Amino acid sequence: MEILAFGVQADEKPLLERAFAGHHEVRCLDVFLNEDTAPIATGYEVISTSVNADLDGRVLEILAAGGTRMIAQRSTGFNNIDLSAAERFGMTVARVSYYSPYSVAEFAWTLAMAVNRRVVRASTRTRDFDFRLDGLMGRDMHGRTAGILGTGKIGEAFARIAHGFGMRLLGWDIAENPACAELGMKYVPKEQLLAEADLVTLHVPLMPETRHLIDAAALKSMKDDAILVNSSRGGLVDTAALVDELRAGRFTGVGLDVYEAEAGLFFLDKSLQAIEDDTLARLVTFPNVLVTSHQAYYTEDAVGQIVETTVGNVLDYRAGRRSENVLVPRS
């Protein structure tokens, strides 16, 4: 059987091909799945998709009509999939429920330190042989407060690094993580965390309840010189409200690896096109903002685990097995 994989990055392709070798053939496409590209999947029983795939009801209807019966998503998040529609069309849906939490946690820290120590500005200057230090002053993280919204595996990994810096730890989650508590983390209401934290980082899934978790009111409650990092899902932050706060001169730095309207932009080369998204265009002009293209997970270790799990999900489907990765079981 041949698997059709959408949205495969150049670095990911050899890993995917090697992982499927000896099991099934895989055809890798760099285009992302949406209503326009869904007809390409006609005749493929199993497809694999990336986190930026559009799997709404209409796309699933096209896939089902073309004979697709199984979707193996190469990500943990699945807010892009209409699970009710998938069940209605009799499609099996699986995801990657776990991969290296260190990839995302370490990148979140990369963003935090880059904006704190003005690394991008410094690098741009030195390329022009400008070696002045004006405007490059940062702050020690030691002794300051890290506020971690979401203390699962990734949040815990971030907390361990913060603990190594000698930071005070505040946490917010629906359930406390004993490992974080052992590090000295104090769980507090979100409002208190935002008011006291020098560094706020987001590690919660995107659900209706968490959409715009960081809204206008939340942003206003944060310290004027705080650092905000989001390496989870773009929809957690009200970006328009964030722009308003940045225009008012607030925040030491903001590091964003995700953006709430990233679909159709991230993972693509738009350098020769006019960007119609005025909010994003304004956001990247702020000197204290660093935006990257949803790459926090993108390490050899994490992508390798994602690929291996995806292959396992396909093999389980073919064998009629069900694992913890299955979101919609085989009918």
Side-chain angles (χ1 to χ4, degrees), residues 29-51:
L29 303 178
D30 59 2
V31 299
F32 295 98
L33 178 61
N34 53 41
E35 187 172 345
D36 293 329
T37 60
I40 301 174
T42 298
Y44 287 89
E45 179 183 351
V46 177
I47 68 168
S48 178
T49 58
S50 65
V51 67

Side-chain angles (χ1 to χ4, degrees), residues 137-200:
M137 184 175 288
R139 297 181 297 176
D140 290 358
M141 289 290 102
H142 179 83
R144 287 190 160 83
T145 300
I148 303 172
L149 295 163
T151 58
K153 292 182 176 65
I154 297 173
E156 177 188 332
F158 188 95
R160 290 188 182 281
I161 299 172
H163 183 260
F165 272 104
M167 300 187 75
R168 172 186 177 227
L169 302 178
L170 296 181
W172 176 86
D173 209 325
I174 57 174
E176 296 187 9
N177 183 336
C180 290
E182 289 181 4
L183 294 173
M185 177 178 286
K186 179 181 178 182
Y187 281 86
V188 297
K190 183 184 74 170
E191 295 74 17
Q192 181 181 346
L193 182 150
L194 295 174
E196 297 182 12
D198 300 292
L199 166 60
V200 175

